[in-house]
Amino acid sequence: MRLSVPGPRSLAGQLFAMQAVLIAVVVAGYALFTYLGDRGQAEEAAGRQARSVALSIADSPSVLEAIGTADPTARLQPYAVRVMRDTDVDFVTIMTPRGIRWTHPDPRQIGHLFQGHIERAQRGETFTETYTGTLGPSVRAVTPVRDDGRVVGLVSAGI
């Protein structure tokens, strides 16, 4: 039994093959461009939502009042759970200025150190970041809770 080796293609066949490859490359490039653009827009929208939620919590007089109590978790944890439910964010973590959690979607994480960056919020700045924490990758915002200009707590909300 002999195997036959295909001979050279005709010029028309070569042009057709080149066109097919070119079309495949253009379609793949467009799909990649669209995916990356949509992903970037989704992350940007998630960052805006997380920032709005975190700032609203940090500005709440009831949060400031609860931080001043002997057991902030007792009042803040139910509040954080309601906010998560009402705003469609995946987590709300309210913590000490050093990053010790008063609230968390997983109550076992309360009292442990927040995973993420907090230095800018400790200095009074609100920022967003993409970070992989205890709940997995998220787009999150971190902002300070202030009392007469002094940072008395931090809030992070994320998607």
Side-chain angles (χ1 to χ4, degrees):
M1 177 194 251
R2 282 185 61 183
L3 294 175
S4 66
V5 179
R9 290 191 177 150
S10 69
L11 181 57
Q14 290 175 6
L15 288 174
F16 177 76
M18 192 176 1
Q19 286 176 338
V21 169
L22 182 60
I23 289 171
V25 168
V26 168
V27 168
Y30 179 76
L32 179 63
F33 177 76
T34 300
Y35 169 76
L36 293 176
D38 288 349
R39 182 176 176 194
Q41 288 177 350
E43 285 184 9
E44 196 174 300
R48 283 193 306 269
Q49 181 180 358
R51 182 182 181 93
S52 295
V53 171
L55 286 167
S56 295
I57 293 168
D59 289 341
S60 170
S62 62
V63 168
L64 185 59
E65 183 182 316
I67 286 174
T69 65
D71 184 12
T73 296
R75 291 178 52 193
L76 293 174
Q77 179 67 7
Y79 173 74
V81 170
R82 280 192 316 274
V83 169
M84 284 186 299
R85 182 192 63 225
D86 294 345
T87 61
D88 288 328
V89 296
D90 294 317
F91 71 87
V92 168
T93 301
I94 306 170
M95 61 197 109
T96 70
R98 290 189 352 256
I100 305 299
R101 298 181 188 110
W102 283 316
T103 71
H104 195 275
D106 176 0
R108 296 173 298 186
Q109 299 296 325
I110 293 172
H112 296 281
L113 194 61
F114 177 76
Q115 292 184 4
H117 302 102
I118 60 172
E119 298 80 14
R120 291 165 57 188
Q122 289 171 320
R123 293 191 304 264
E125 183 182 342
T126 299
F127 67 95
T128 59
E129 68 175 352
T130 301
Y131 192 86
T132 301
T134 57
L135 300 173
S138 65
V139 176
R140 59 177 59 175
V142 185
T143 193
V145 177
R146 292 184 184 89
D147 185 15
D148 291 326
R150 187 173 54 97
V151 175
V152 295
L154 304 173
V155 176
S156 180
I159 300 169

